[in-house]
């Protein structure tokens, strides 16, 4: 298992290098750069002034040289400074991270509270009215775009019912609507997976054998079927955590939440390269870690996975 963990961390290095370099190149493709964006609202500015600004920011150097300088600085713990605000990127990132963490935690909590009971109810009432109703709602929630769900929630609960403010805040009330907008489509996917997983387990031979031996249905369901649901939930939650911590830009922009996603969108629009690069590194690290942690948990929960690891399959 230790060999597997070391192997995964070694694979992280070329992945990060490839992603950061590819992003660095893409940011240079637009015709206008950071200096052009900075002086766009100022009207006519001479090229001499722009050239001096580019020299000050180091944008006049070759692309590969700038990337290597950035990479060496990152290895020493310096993410650079924002071209727009002049704030250290690390401090800017830490300030924007808290709202995204709260939003992620609340969205995952709502997703679990919605999807687990509904998925279990749909499985236990297979092909009945309750099952069909839950499946229709899940299909609808999975089909609607996230921005449409967010606007619909704003219209119903903020504009018509006045339960919440239109603009999101840092408190529980300000994050509830955006978290619900994230939880609804995720819950729709979760319900289908949970339902199919429980139905698959119910039809297995060991369940029939346990019932024949006189073990109550409630005991079989609680001790065996629900336990098998753990691996499915871990896998689903890990994928959701990666996308949520990466910043849900559309939801944060709609509800005006000053989080990681909104910061990344503003940085991309303003060609703020250090902030964009820091966001890319953060996203790559998040997705790598959330894919590694579930593997380690499944290694402990499932003996088959443990034997597969020992056999060198990973």
């Amino acid at each position: 298992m230790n060999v597997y963990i070391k192997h995964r961390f070694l694979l992280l290095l070329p992945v990060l290098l490839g992603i950061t370099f590819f992003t660095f190149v893409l940011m240079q493709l637009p015709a206008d750069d950071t200096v052009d964006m900075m002086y766009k609202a100022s009207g006519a500015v001479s090229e001499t002034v722009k050239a001096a600004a580019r020299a000050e920011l180091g944008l006049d150097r070759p692309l590969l040289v700038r990337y290597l300088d950035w990479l060496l600085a990152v290895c020493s713990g310096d993410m650079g400074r924002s071209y727009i605000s002049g704030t250290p990127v690390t401090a800017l990132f830490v300030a924007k991270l808290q709202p995204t963490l709260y939003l992620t935690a609340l969205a995952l909590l709502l997703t679990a509270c919605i999807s687990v009971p509904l998925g279990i109810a749909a499985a236990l009432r297979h092909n009945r009215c309750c099952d069909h109703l839950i499946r229709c709602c899940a299909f609808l929630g999975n089909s609607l775009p996230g921005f449409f769900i967010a606007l619909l929630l704003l219209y119903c609960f903020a504009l018509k019912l006045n339960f919440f403010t239109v603009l999101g805040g840092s408190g529980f009330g300000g994050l509830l609507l955006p978290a619900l907008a994230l939880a609804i489509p995720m819950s729709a996917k979760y319900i289908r997976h949970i339902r199919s997983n429980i139905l698959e387990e119910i039809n297995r031979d060991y369940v029939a054998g346990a019932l024949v031996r006189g073990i109550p249905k409630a005991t079989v369901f609680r001790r065996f079927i629900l336990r098998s649901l753990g691996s499915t939930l871990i896998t689903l939650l890990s994928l959701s955590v990666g996308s949520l911590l990466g910043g849900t830009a559309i939801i944060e922009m709609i509800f005006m939440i000053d989080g990681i996603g909104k910061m990344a969108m503003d940085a991309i629009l303003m060609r703020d390269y250090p902030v964009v690069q820091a966001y890319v590194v953060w996203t790559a690290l998040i997705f790598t870690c959330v894919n590694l942690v579930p593997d380690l948990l499944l290694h402990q929960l499932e003996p088959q996975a443990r034997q597969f690891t020992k056999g060198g399959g990973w």
Side-chain angles (χ1 to χ4, degrees), residues 7 40 83 144 197 208 218 229 261 280 286 306:
H7 179 67
K40 182 173 289 187
Y83 288 165
L144 295 176
N197 182 268
L229 191 62
V280 169
I286 286 297
R306 196 176 305 125

Side-chain angles (χ1 to χ4, degrees), residues 263-282:
M263 178 202 70
M265 290 295 296
D266 294 338
I268 292 172
L269 293 175
M270 295 300 295
R271 312 291 191 268
D272 199 349
Y273 303 141
V275 177
V276 175
Q277 288 296 105
Y279 173 76
V280 169
V281 173
W282 162 260

Side-chain angles (χ1 to χ4, degrees), residues 96-108:
K96 306 294 184 181
L97 185 59
Q98 182 176 348
T100 300
L101 289 176
Y102 289 157
L103 182 61
T104 298
L106 186 55
L108 291 176

Side-chain angles (χ1 to χ4, degrees):
M1 192 62 187
N2 292 332
V3 175
Y4 169 65
I5 296 175
K6 293 177 182 178
H7 179 67
R8 288 292 296 268
F9 276 109
L10 287 176
L11 288 178
L12 175 63
L13 296 178
V15 169
L16 286 177
L17 288 175
I19 291 175
T20 54
F21 181 74
F22 186 66
T23 308
F24 208 90
V25 172
L26 287 180
M27 290 298 295
Q28 317 300 319
L29 294 181
D32 49 352
D33 57 7
T34 305
V35 175
D36 293 323
M37 300 299 296
M38 290 171 56
Y39 288 109
K40 182 173 289 187
S42 303
V45 177
S46 66
E47 290 299 326
T48 305
V49 174
K50 290 184 178 181
R54 290 189 180 95
E56 182 180 357
L57 296 175
L59 297 176
D60 57 339
R61 294 179 298 168
L63 173 65
L64 186 59
V65 174
R66 280 186 284 143
Y67 175 75
L68 292 177
D69 288 345
W70 173 84
L71 188 61
L72 291 175
V74 169
C75 292
S76 63
D78 182 15
M79 298 294 290
R81 289 181 173 270
S82 170
Y83 288 165
I84 305 301
S85 63
T87 307
V89 174
T90 303
L92 183 63
F93 225 84
V94 171
K96 306 294 184 181
L97 185 59
Q98 182 176 348
T100 300
L101 289 176
Y102 289 157
L103 182 61
T104 298
L106 186 55
L108 291 176
L109 178 62
L110 291 175
T111 300
C113 292
I114 295 172
S115 60
V116 174
L118 291 180
I120 294 174
L124 295 180
R125 292 163 178 80
H126 180 52
N127 285 336
R128 299 180 186 176
C129 293
C130 180
D131 181 27
H132 293 312
L133 179 61
I134 293 175
R135 291 171 65 187
C136 288
C137 293
F139 178 78
L140 184 63
N142 197 25
S143 303
L144 295 176
F147 73 89
F148 180 80
I149 295 176
L151 294 175
L152 188 62
L153 291 174
L154 275 177
Y155 178 77
C156 294
F157 293 101
L159 294 180
K160 290 298 182 181
L161 299 177
N162 292 322
F163 288 163
F164 303 95
T165 58
V166 176
L167 300 179
S170 57
F172 177 79
L175 294 177
L176 185 57
L177 275 187
L180 189 59
L182 294 170
I184 288 175
M186 286 195 303
S187 298
K189 298 182 180 70
Y190 281 32
I191 288 172
R192 299 172 63 183
H193 286 285
I194 292 172
R195 176 184 177 275
S196 62
N197 182 268
I198 292 179
L199 288 177
E200 183 180 354
E201 290 297 321
I202 288 176
N203 294 322
R204 290 187 181 275
D205 294 336
Y206 78 88
V207 175
L211 295 176
V212 168
R213 291 180 177 87
I215 301 177
K217 289 184 178 180
T219 303
V220 174
F221 184 79
R222 184 178 64 255
R223 294 187 60 183
F224 300 106
I225 297 177
L226 283 184
R227 187 175 182 180
S228 68
L229 191 62
S231 59
T232 301
L233 287 177
I234 289 174
T235 303
L236 292 173
L237 287 173
S238 65
L239 296 175
S240 299
V241 167
S243 60
L244 291 174
L245 287 179
T248 51
I250 295 178
I251 299 299
E252 290 183 2
M253 294 290 287
I254 291 176
F255 289 94
M256 296 303 294
I257 298 175
D258 199 15
I260 295 294
K262 186 176 181 299
M263 178 202 70
M265 290 295 296
D266 294 338
I268 292 172
L269 293 175
M270 295 300 295
R271 312 291 191 268
D272 199 349
Y273 303 141
V275 177
V276 175
Q277 288 296 105
Y279 173 76
V280 169
V281 173
W282 162 260
T283 306
L285 285 173
I286 286 297
F287 273 97
T288 303
C289 292
V290 300
N291 284 326
L292 177 60
V293 171
D295 287 345
L296 301 180
L297 293 176
L298 292 176
H299 172 80
Q300 299 298 324
L301 292 176
E302 297 185 359
Q304 298 90 341
R306 196 176 305 125
Q307 293 176 1
F308 186 52
T309 306
K310 290 180 181 178
W314 287 343

